[in-house]
Amino acid sequence: MQIIAALAGVAAKHLMFNEALFTPSDHARLGLSQWWSEFIATFGLILVIKLSVHHNAKAVPFTVAAYVTAAYWFTASTSFANPAVTLSRSLTPTFAGIRPDGIVGFIMAQMFGAFVAAKFSTWIISNPNK
């Protein structure tokens, strides 16, 4: 469902600006620094979500919005942090895009970042005095 929403968002944006609905990006985002950035972006996002839910669930929308905004600026990858976002950004020729050949590395970094963050946040929550 999230992928369908992301694709619909790309199409809606392109229609607003009179562009082709889907155009592959030519923005190169390859290599260790980009993948590490995407790991950090996803790790941080999952950590923020899990810790916010644990401490104050009502704060989740605000903490997520603040983190996503910040991560856009502090990561070299501009913080996709989501496979659906990665796919949709591969279909736009804008600065925010990613060439299709960069998708696999980004999604692998996102999956690994999410896994490590889930384990780390569980450890933090279950060991509050460490």
Side-chain angles (χ1 to χ4, degrees):
M1 187 63 163
Q2 193 177 33
I3 290 175
I4 293 169
L7 295 175
V10 171
K13 178 258 181 199
H14 286 177
L15 281 172
M16 285 188 279
F17 291 94
N18 198 30
E19 297 178 14
L21 288 186
F22 300 109
T23 304
S25 175
D26 63 356
H27 194 106
R29 294 182 191 271
L30 297 168
L32 187 57
S33 66
Q34 291 290 310
W35 301 326
W36 175 246
S37 293
E38 205 50 25
F39 170 88
I40 294 296
T42 308
F43 174 87
L45 179 60
I46 299 302
L47 193 64
V48 162
I49 292 168
K50 290 197 57 125
L51 295 179
S52 294
V53 166
H54 178 73
H55 291 291
N56 181 2
K58 290 181 181 177
V60 172
F62 305 103
T63 58
V64 167
Y67 181 80
V68 169
T69 299
Y72 178 87
W73 295 103
F74 75 74
T75 62
S77 66
T78 67
S79 182
F80 294 20
N82 180 325
V85 171
T86 303
L87 176 62
S88 64
R89 285 191 178 185
S90 74
L91 298 172
T92 185
T94 65
F95 170 78
I98 179 173
R99 277 192 337 218
D101 63 346
I103 292 174
V104 172
F106 263 55
I107 291 175
M108 289 176 57
Q110 292 162 0
M111 291 172 58
F112 188 54
F115 174 79
V116 174
K119 294 294 184 184
F120 185 63
S121 62
T122 300
W123 180 80
I124 289 172
I125 291 167
S126 63
N127 297 287
N129 297 324
K130 292 187 178 190

